[in-house]
């Protein structure tokens, strides 16, 4: 230190190796981004490689189709997109097939995942956010927000807070696509408990049977239209006070997102497209006080689960997408 006018930190920074070239923003049409280790894929998604990517591809295709159906604009038309709970970026990769990296904001509570996305998908706006909003994102600046297998893990207060934040940052007429655990999850838990009592449960059923301390009470609460949350945590920053298993009835989602200014325009039950229910919402117009008003023209009987009708409609969508013959 006495021999230099610079601090030790300045000297260490200046003596580090220099990049030979600046990193280029990712273009998935010309180069394939590297994958994270398989254990990271499995930890955050429950799947890896082909299975993980196939699910992500279907999700983005269906969201694009439904956005066009209800607004006339798809992913390619969106100038700013949120991938909420982006994890290691599997959904973002398929958004990149339809839009520029600068259009995508990948949000996650885990700074390690944010760093991973910044390295593997350079050019995307990867941001670390707190478990509860607000974010630093500006009001009404986003055309589309997606959250695959995120709200299925959030407590009621966290779910409601993020619904309000989406209302703040998504523009009027913008689209939000989320997935939630629905009635079928409650049936899975009850079935797991019955298997345990019969001595026929495997390890997964044994674990699932303990999701709710009182399964009957959870079922009754769900049937009353109340979210049922069991805090389990997900490791690191995903603590059990806000993260675990969350089953959300249709009535709850309509009430919470309706209060935030959204209308449900599609509800595809679990195990039709994905293991979770897919919900497509449209943000209403701002009122004079700046709050969002639900889009009443979308609030029709077709926005609630009608399994036969939904299955037929989804079949048509998948055939158009080339995912079903």
């Amino acid at each position: 230190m006495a021999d230099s006018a610079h601090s030790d930190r300045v000297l260490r920074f200046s003596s580090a190796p220099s990049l030979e070239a600046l990193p280029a923003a990712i273009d998935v049409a010309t180069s394939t981004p590297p994958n994270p280790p398989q254990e990271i894929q499995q930890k955050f998604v429950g799947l890896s490689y082909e299975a993980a990517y196939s699910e992500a591809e279907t999700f983005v295709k269906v969201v694009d189709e439904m956005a066009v159906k209800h607004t006339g604009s798809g992913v390619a038309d969106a100038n700013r997109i949120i991938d909420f709970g982006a994890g290691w970026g599997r959904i973002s990769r398929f958004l990149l097939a339809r839009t520029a990296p600068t259009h995508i904001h990948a949000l996650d509570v885990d700074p390690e995942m944010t760093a991973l996305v910044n390295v593997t998908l350079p050019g995307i706006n990867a941001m670390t956010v707190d478990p509860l909003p607000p974010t630093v994102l500006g009001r009404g600046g986003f055309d589309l927000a997606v959250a695959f297998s995120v709200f299925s893990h959030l407590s009621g207060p966290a779910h409601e807070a993020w619904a309000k934040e989406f209302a703040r940052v998504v523009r009027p007429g913008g689209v939000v696509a989320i997935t939630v655990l629905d009635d079928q999850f409650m049936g899975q838990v009850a079935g797991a408990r019955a298997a345990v009592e019969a001595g026929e449960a495997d390890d997964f059923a044994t674990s699932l049977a303990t999701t709710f301390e009182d399964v009957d009470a959870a079922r009754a609460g769900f049937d009353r239209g109340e979210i049922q949350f069991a805090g389990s945590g997900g490791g690191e920053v995903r603590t059990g006070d806000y993260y675990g298993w969350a089953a959300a009835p249709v009535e709850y989602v309509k009430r919470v997102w309706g209060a935030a200014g959204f209308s449900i325009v599609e509800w595809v039950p679990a195990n039709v497209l994905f293991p979770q229910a897919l919900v497509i919402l449209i943000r209403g117009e701002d009122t004079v006080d700046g709050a969002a008003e639900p889009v009443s023209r979308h609030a029709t009987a077709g926005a609630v689960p009608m399994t036969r009708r939904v299955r037929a409609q989804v079949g048509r969508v998948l055939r158009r997408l080339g995912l079903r013959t």
Side-chain angles (χ1 to χ4, degrees), residues 222 246 299 312:
F222 184 92

Side-chain angles (χ1 to χ4, degrees), residues 47 67 71 87 98 100 118 120 127 136 138 145 163 213 223 251 264 280:
L47 302 168
T71 71
R98 297 167 181 266
N118 274 321
T120 57
M127 297 174 54
V136 299
E213 189 171 326
D223 290 343
E251 295 84 356
I264 298 175
I280 307 294

Side-chain angles (χ1 to χ4, degrees), residues 16-70:
S18 298
L19 293 171
E20 294 182 3
L22 291 178
I26 188 69
D27 180 354
V28 297
T30 60
S31 62
T32 304
N35 284 308
Q38 183 174 6
E39 59 269 23
I40 293 296
Q41 297 183 45
Q42 197 76 29
K43 175 181 177 181
F44 283 88
V45 174
L47 302 168
S48 60
Y49 298 116
E50 290 91 344
Y53 283 127
S54 178
E55 189 175 63
E57 180 180 43
T58 301
F59 175 69
V60 173
K61 282 185 176 181
V62 171
V63 168
D64 183 55
E65 175 79 12
M66 291 185 173
V68 171
K69 172 185 172 182
H70 290 286

Side-chain angles (χ1 to χ4, degrees), residues 7-282:
S7 70
D8 289 343
R9 192 174 301 276
V10 165
L11 295 175
R12 287 199 302 273
F13 283 166
S14 61
S15 62
S18 298
L19 293 171
E20 294 182 3
L22 291 178
I26 188 69
D27 180 354
V28 297
T30 60
S31 62
T32 304
N35 284 308
Q38 183 174 6
E39 59 269 23
I40 293 296
Q41 297 183 45
Q42 197 76 29
K43 175 181 177 181
F44 283 88
V45 174
L47 302 168
S48 60
Y49 298 116
E50 290 91 344
Y53 283 127
S54 178
E55 189 175 63
E57 180 180 43
T58 301
F59 175 69
V60 173
K61 282 185 176 181
V62 171
V63 168
D64 183 55
E65 175 79 12
M66 291 185 173
V68 171
K69 172 185 172 182
H70 290 286
T71 71
S73 300
V75 174
D77 303 301
N79 290 321
R80 299 185 75 192
I81 302 170
I82 293 173
D83 179 4
F84 182 60
W88 50 269
R90 65 168 179 153
I91 302 297
S92 286
R93 280 165 165 78
F94 286 96
L95 293 172
L96 283 166
R98 297 167 181 266
T99 193
T102 52
H103 293 177
I104 301 171
H105 287 64
L107 276 54
D108 203 275
V109 297
D110 191 331
E112 291 186 350
M113 291 303 100
T114 302
L116 177 61
V117 170
N118 274 321
V119 170
T120 57
L121 304 175
I124 278 185
N125 301 287
M127 297 174 54
T128 304
V129 296
D130 292 330
L132 293 176
T135 65
V136 299
L137 301 175
R139 180 180 180 86
F142 289 85
D143 306 297
L144 172 66
V146 299
F148 190 91
S149 192
V150 180
F151 284 91
S152 49
H153 297 289
L154 297 183
S155 68
H159 186 133
E160 293 152 26
W162 282 108
K164 292 177 181 177
E165 179 68 355
F166 276 35
R168 187 183 70 81
V169 301
V170 174
R171 66 168 175 78
V175 176
V176 171
I178 67 172
T179 64
V180 297
L181 294 172
D182 64 1
D183 182 76
Q184 295 195 43
F185 179 73
M186 300 302 297
Q188 279 185 288
V189 173
R193 186 180 67 164
V196 169
E197 292 173 350
E200 301 171 350
D202 58 17
D203 289 345
F204 177 73
T206 300
S207 173
L208 192 63
T210 63
T211 300
F212 300 110
E213 189 171 326
D214 187 332
V215 177
D216 293 334
R219 174 82 253 185
F222 184 92
D223 290 343
R224 291 193 300 270
E226 302 166 359
I227 190 171
Q228 299 302 304
F229 173 72
S232 61
E236 290 82 40
V237 295
R238 293 173 175 83
T239 53
D241 56 332
Y242 77 94
Y243 191 91
W245 293 104
V250 179
E251 295 84 356
Y252 173 83
V253 177
K254 288 180 69 175
R255 183 170 66 250
V256 168
W257 289 84
F262 289 89
S263 295
I264 298 175
V265 296
E266 300 277 354
W267 182 293
V268 183
N271 297 320
V272 175
L273 284 172
F274 310 106
Q276 301 177 15
L278 172 66
V279 188
I280 307 294
L281 307 113
I282 305 291

